Amino acid sequence: MTTLAIDIGGTKLAAALVDDNFTIIARRELPTPASKTPEALETALRELVAPLSGQATRFAVASTGIIQDGILTAINPSNLGGLENFPLTHYLKHLTGLPGIALNDAQAAALAEYHALATPVEHMVFLTVSTGVGGGVIAHGKLLQSPGGLAGHLGHTLADPSGPRCGCGRTGCVEAIASGRGIAAAARDELAGLDARALFAQAQQGHPQALALVERSARTLARLIADTKAAFDCQCVVMGGSVGLAAGYLDRVKAALAQEPAIYHVELLPARYRQDAGLLGAALFAKE
Ligand SMILES: [Zn+2]
């Protein structure tokens, strides 16, 4: 069976044909439409999948946001604009004539990373730290899912009750502090206005404020990891995302986690996939 895998992200849309050995045999990419309307997304998806869908027997889509009964909703509506309540699987069935499924992109990535582990485990947590903070939980070898689609959204657990307001409406979520956007929002004085990439470059050069911002993010992640250890007793945590995989970041998180009591220590591994985790995880999910 060949799966048409699709990944809908905040900056790019990707599609691939994935064979039974979970090898990508064709791949395409387009920028996510700047205008977040259903019409713009539909047009972009049609252009993206047209050359591929004739060779597939099903589709599998990983998307940012909450997926509930194949409908895309948002924990932070401002991220999705007019795409709130977009009927994702219904539209793709109509577009491709194929049966298919949809799931959250971090959950898909969790599945892909789980299947790529060098040493198999029963319980694993995946965390992605990039623009936001996302997660996926593998328990007893299976992706933890829930009817509301919210399971695994670990970036919206509490880090600091007096911290900044999060896009989801809570105050002090991990995402509001540790994500790329959270790091950038806390920059002051000569660093004000820089994005996370530029702030990491400043930290590499030893800028004290940039170092403090990166360290604050890493400490927040380490506390979240201790929490996930307490909640799921996972045997390893895999970390991905542009911040999660930035030079030196994982080591900072490891150092901060080492300061927690030993019972909360857990093996931390870098994600294997940078680009294709959503595509491969969606294909795996379709198979399961
Ligand atoms: Zn939040």
Side-chain angles (χ1 to χ4, degrees):
M1 260 197 176
T2 302
T3 304
L4 170 64
I6 301 162
D7 188 355
I8 300 177
T11 56
K12 71 172 170 57
L13 307 174
L17 292 173
V18 181
D19 70 13
D20 278 334
N21 299 316
F22 294 99
T23 304
I24 290 178
I25 51 180
R27 192 184 195 287
R28 289 167 55 76
E29 214 173 283
L30 288 176
T32 302
S35 133
K36 298 260 191 300
T37 64
E39 294 75 22
L41 182 63
E42 286 178 11
T43 303
L45 284 173
R46 195 179 307 126
E47 186 187 337
L48 181 73
V49 306
L52 303 177
S53 58
Q55 302 159 66
T57 47
R58 65 185 168 207
F59 71 82
V61 54
S63 175
T64 182
I66 294 172
I67 311 291
Q68 194 175 9
D69 296 329
I71 295 169
L72 176 61
T73 62
I75 197 161
N76 176 0
S78 62
N79 283 347
L80 286 176
L83 290 177
E84 182 71 358
N85 294 317
F86 183 76
L88 193 54
T89 50
H90 175 81
Y91 178 71
L92 284 166
K93 274 179 192 163
H94 168 75
L95 184 66
T96 62
L98 301 171
I101 55 89
L103 81 166
N104 168 266
D105 54 358
Q107 294 192 337
L111 264 184
E113 295 295 341
Y114 180 66
H115 283 266
L117 284 178
T119 309
V121 299
E122 280 278 290
H123 309 290
M124 184 202 95
V125 169
F126 171 73
L127 292 169
T128 175
V129 189
S130 56
T131 310
V133 176
V137 176
I138 307 286
H140 302 288
K142 296 259 181 240
L143 181 67
L144 179 68
Q145 290 188 282
S146 58
L150 193 57
H153 279 76
L154 296 163
H156 298 284
T157 54
L158 185 65
D160 178 1
S162 55
R165 192 165 170 87
C166 183
C168 73
R170 286 187 90 185
T171 295
C173 287
V174 169
E175 175 165 303
I177 294 169
S179 68
R181 200 181 278 162
I183 293 170
R188 295 287 176 268
D189 304 324
E190 74 273 20
L191 298 186
L194 294 184
D195 65 10
R197 182 186 295 267
L199 290 167
F200 270 87
Q202 290 288 332
Q204 289 277 28
Q205 289 166 26
H207 191 293
Q209 189 202 154
L211 276 169
L213 290 170
V214 171
E215 184 61 27
R216 175 170 167 261
S217 166
R219 273 201 318 272
T220 302
L221 249 293
R223 285 194 292 264
L224 172 61
I225 289 164
D227 288 352
T228 64
K229 176 71 177 168
F232 305 109
D233 202 2
C234 43
Q235 291 146 293
C236 64
V237 171
V238 175
M239 191 167 325
S242 55
V243 171
L245 295 173
Y249 187 81
L250 195 63
D251 286 338
R252 287 180 186 279
V253 177
K254 282 181 181 171
L257 185 61
Q259 292 172 27
E260 298 280 348
I263 195 163
Y264 302 119
H265 294 178
V266 60
E267 186 179 16
L268 281 187
L269 301 167
R272 171 171 161 180
Y273 302 109
R274 279 175 184 254
Q275 296 291 322
D276 296 331
L279 293 169
L280 291 170
L284 276 164
F285 189 70
K287 189 186 174 213
E288 285 179 4

